[in-house]
Amino acid sequence: MTSSASIASAPLASSADTDALGALLAPERLTAVVDIGANPIDVPPYVPLLQKRLCRLFGFEPQPSALAELNARKSELETYLPYVIGNGEQARLRVCAAPGMTSLLEPDPVMLKHFQGFNEWGRILADSKIATHRLDEVGEIDALDYLKIDVQGSELAIFQNGRRRLADAILIQTEVSFLPLYKQQPVFGEIDLELRSQGFIPHALMAIDKRMIWPMRGVNPYEAFNQLVEADAVYVRDFTKADAMSSEQLKHLALVAHHCYGSYDLAAICIQHLLNRDAIVPHAGSRYFELAAAHRAAAKAS
């Protein structure tokens, strides 16, 4: 790195100011987050951005009860819509006994029987025709920086029909399956190839789900040895090709990496590129090292 403001040589220090990064980067607008499959089963990774009022959220959730829960507790930064995102064609929505298994695809009993609890969780309670919307054609979204998606098997169709929107995105967190729990479900390798073709590279695997293979059974169905089933995969815009990213993209990637994933090294390289472009104040490098050190110290202490 040739910039005189390089963060590579900045000293580590400590700071209690956990809201300073947004002020240092000063993006032109709030980070635009899109959540496809926003069913509030788990705490989504973008919550820190919402809490700090650094983002606005567009969420999609077709299940009426889940949508009502989301709307009942939303802030003015959140918009939730009942659309089913897919390939834009008519599809069938299979509502399953476990809400987290509801899908446009049919659960595969041959696969499910190998893992405790899955046959019951994948039992279809209702099957109805439904219209789907292509991500590229959803007019309510005016920007997309950060996509979180959990749609039980329809991820590939959404990526393929959202290439225009995703051309500006800087990070995607998607559920990936290592085994097809649904009939004709694309698995991890297919998702990986599609996202790489769109300029993303793997960054992290989160919430890795392993299960015990039948006929062995655990005290609870979540016990496991080694068999991979699913995970949340985090893909980022290829930071080794930063010249292809705008300064605004680098700012949003730094914010998401820092606040949502604790990926301080990823945030740091984004800040380095911004310093090289004179796109942020010169002291942002040393200030960021202070922030990162404070967060790491707090994590070790907790």
Side-chain angles (χ1 to χ4, degrees), residues 220-278:
N220 68 68
Y222 301 98
E223 291 187 51
F225 294 110
N226 294 306
Q227 180 57 55
L228 292 169
V229 178
E230 296 174 317
D232 283 348
V234 179
Y235 282 77
V236 300
R237 182 67 57 189
D238 190 345
F239 54 83
T240 70
K241 301 174 181 177
D243 288 346
M245 277 194 271
S246 68
S247 294
E248 188 74 359
Q249 285 178 303
L250 288 167
K251 290 178 181 182
H252 291 298
L253 181 53
L255 284 169
V256 174
H258 177 90
H259 286 299
C260 302
Y261 298 99
S263 294
Y264 306 125
D265 51 349
L266 177 57
I269 196 171
C270 292
I271 291 170
Q272 181 66 72
H273 288 305
L274 289 164
L275 288 168
N276 291 346
R277 299 178 185 185
D278 295 323

Side-chain angles (χ1 to χ4, degrees), residues 35-179:
D35 187 344
I36 302 175
N39 192 332
I41 298 173
D42 300 307
V43 178
Y46 51 75
V47 164
L49 291 180
L50 276 175
Q51 292 173 335
K52 296 175 185 300
R53 304 185 66 80
L54 293 171
C55 76
R56 52 199 175 93
L57 170 67
F58 299 92
F60 297 93
E61 179 49 58
Q63 297 184 68
S65 59
L67 182 63
E69 182 179 347
L70 290 165
N71 279 320
R73 66 189 195 192
K74 71 177 183 179
S75 70
E76 75 279 8
L77 296 173
E78 301 165 67
T79 300
Y80 295 102
L81 299 165
Y83 304 159
V84 175
I85 308 300
N87 61 8
E89 300 175 0
Q90 288 285 318
R92 293 169 62 186
L93 182 67
R94 280 88 170 187
V95 178
C96 294
M101 288 199 68
T102 292
S103 175
L104 298 182
L105 302 180
E106 181 182 354
D108 185 351
V110 175
M111 180 63 70
L112 298 186
K113 72 180 183 181
H114 288 85
F115 305 101
Q116 185 178 348
F118 273 76
N119 261 335
E120 171 56 27
W121 297 334
R123 183 168 52 87
I124 297 174
L125 302 181
D127 185 339
S128 59
K129 290 184 178 180
I130 194 165
T132 70
H133 300 254
R134 297 176 70 245
L135 180 60
D136 275 346
E137 296 175 351
V138 177
E140 288 87 344
I141 301 174
D142 57 7
L144 195 168
D145 301 308
Y146 172 14
L147 174 65
K148 177 259 181 187
I149 178 169
D150 183 354
V151 291
Q152 298 301 304
S154 298
E155 293 85 1
L156 182 61
I158 291 172
F159 297 147
Q160 291 173 335
N161 289 274
R163 288 172 177 153
R164 181 175 60 83
R165 291 281 190 199
L166 294 175
D168 294 324
I170 48 84
L171 187 145
I172 296 171
Q173 177 172 320
T174 177
E175 185 175 64
V176 295
S177 291
F178 302 101
L179 300 174

